[in-house]
């Protein structure tokens, strides 16, 4: 689904350049649930933004569902983004004056789907995340965990191939974090490919594979069950 080869990224500020990604190689198969772990500043968001086509690498290659992602014009990039990718952020990024239902339905509006179908689809995704009774509520009437579940429903509404989440539990207490991760696991079990960025070990442990990033390189790439098996020896 995702294939990355020798990816490099630097940020230039004035005369100095900060080399953030220093040759990243990895691939993700369809149906995987992967976490990208690393301390603050290790380049996790930079990598996720490149995977999400929100930013471009300086060197290396990226192939998404067989499509080489390079030098795309903004229009084509936007089309691929809408078709392939769903995003979830730490800060939810909901529209404050729109109801939960309208937040979920909005991406469908941009896809040109008619109102009746938008509402039906949005309701079905709200049901999937357990928020049917909250459909007409505004974001500020929802708890943090509920807001993140609305954001997840919104990300799923356009039926993306891959769900990308940058610190999806970063603003939540630990009980709520685990509930959101339970939901992410459930969505993965239905076959959706999911990548999450986190710096929390217990969150990463709830994924099937942990990719450890340090100083711009992958220092570890483990299937969790293999790690657990080794620890049990
Ligand atoms: P993480 O998500 O792991 O905390 P980031 O990918 O956000 O790390 O950042 C990696 C490094 O790149 C940090 O040192 C950060 O300050 C720097 N950085 C991130 N974005 C930019 C930017 N747009 N311009 C300059 N430096 C940046
Ligand atoms: Mg980050």
């Amino acid at each position: 689904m995702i294939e990355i080869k020798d990816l490099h990224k630097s940020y230039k500020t004035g005369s100095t350049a900060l080399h953030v990604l220093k040759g990243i190689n990895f691939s993700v198969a369809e149906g995987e649930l992967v976490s990208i772990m690393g301390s603050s500043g290790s380049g996790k968001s930079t990598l996720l933004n490149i995977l999400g086509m929100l930013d471009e690498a300086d060197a290396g290659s990226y192939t998404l569902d067989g499509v080489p992602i390079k030098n795309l014009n903004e229009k084509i990039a936007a089309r691929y983004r809408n078709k392939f990718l769903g995003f979830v952020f730490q800060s939810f990024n909901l529209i404050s004056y729109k109801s939960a239902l309208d937040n979920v339905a909005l991406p469908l509006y941009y896809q040109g789907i008619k109102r009746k179908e938008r509402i039906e689809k949005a309701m079905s995704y709200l049901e999937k995340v357990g928020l049917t009774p909250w459909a007409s509520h505004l974001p500020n009437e929802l708890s943090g965990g509920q807001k993140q579940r609305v954001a997840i429903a919104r990300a799923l509404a356009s039926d993306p191939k891959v769900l990308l989440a940058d610190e999806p539990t970063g603003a939540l207490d630990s009980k709520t974090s685990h509930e959101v991760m339970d939901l992410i696991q459930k969505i993965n079990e239905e076959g959706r490919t999911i990548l999450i960025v986190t710096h929390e070990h217990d969150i990463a442990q709830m994924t099937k594979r942990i990719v450890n990033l340090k100083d711009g390189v992958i220092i570890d790439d483990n299937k969790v069950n293999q790690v657990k098996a080794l620890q049990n020896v």
Side-chain angles (χ1 to χ4, degrees):
M1 180 62 70
I2 284 173
E3 194 164 4
I4 270 195
K5 286 195 186 132
D6 205 23
L7 205 77
H8 286 260
K9 176 76 180 176
S10 296
Y11 292 112
K12 284 143 205 102
T13 39
S15 57
T16 56
L18 183 65
H19 200 174
V20 177
L21 300 179
K22 303 170 184 166
I24 303 281
N25 293 287
F26 90 121
S27 47
V28 176
E30 188 168 2
E32 282 202 81
L33 172 56
V34 185
S35 54
I36 299 169
M37 268 270 284
S39 54
S40 177
S42 57
K44 304 183 297 296
S45 294
T46 301
L47 177 57
L48 203 74
N49 289 345
I50 293 170
L51 292 172
M53 302 173 62
L54 300 167
D55 199 358
E56 255 195 300
D58 302 326
S61 69
Y62 171 25
T63 311
L64 174 59
D65 201 29
V67 179
I69 305 299
K70 198 167 178 87
N71 300 327
L72 302 175
N73 72 42
E74 202 31 60
K75 219 171 156 182
I76 291 179
R79 194 188 305 154
Y80 283 169
R81 225 166 16 235
N82 291 336
K83 183 172 159 196
F84 287 131
L85 303 164
F87 294 91
V88 174
F89 301 97
Q90 174 173 352
S91 51
F92 321 124
N93 294 10
L94 299 176
I95 297 176
S96 61
Y97 55 86
K98 283 190 182 292
S99 68
L101 181 68
D102 286 343
N103 267 282
V104 177
L106 193 62
L108 303 171
Y109 171 82
Y110 290 115
Q111 287 184 0
I113 294 171
K114 296 223 159 55
R115 184 174 159 79
K116 187 164 175 283
E117 194 186 338
R118 286 203 303 270
I119 299 301
E120 280 170 11
K121 270 198 170 180
M123 276 310 288
S124 76
Y125 281 103
L126 276 179
E127 186 184 353
K128 185 186 277 293
V129 302
L131 289 178
T132 306
W134 295 88
S136 63
H137 286 254
L138 294 172
N140 68 10
E141 296 165 341
L142 304 175
S143 69
Q146 289 173 327
K147 280 184 220 174
Q148 196 58 299
R149 285 193 275 152
V150 173
I152 290 168
R154 177 183 57 185
L156 292 175
S158 49
D159 196 19
K161 298 241 176 197
V162 181
L163 190 64
L164 300 173
D166 195 346
E167 308 265 7
T169 62
L172 306 174
D173 62 64
S174 74
K175 179 170 171 283
T176 310
S177 294
H178 282 88
E179 287 165 8
V180 164
M181 284 306 296
D182 284 340
L183 175 62
I184 286 176
Q185 286 177 330
K186 186 181 117 190
I187 292 162
N188 170 251
E189 277 156 21
E190 294 167 357
R192 188 97 45 188
T193 311
I194 306 181
L195 262 80
I196 77 161
V197 155
T198 183
H199 63 270
E200 292 169 289
H201 203 69
D202 60 323
I203 297 300
Q205 288 293 331
M206 293 181 76
T207 65
K208 294 175 183 164
R209 172 180 166 197
I210 303 178
V211 175
N212 252 301
L213 206 60
K214 190 179 181 192
D215 299 330
V217 292
I218 291 174
I219 54 164
D220 213 6
D221 186 344
N222 270 312
K223 302 260 193 281
V224 173
N225 291 334
Q226 291 172 357
V227 176
K228 283 186 179 150
L230 285 173
Q231 284 166 349
N232 287 338
V233 168

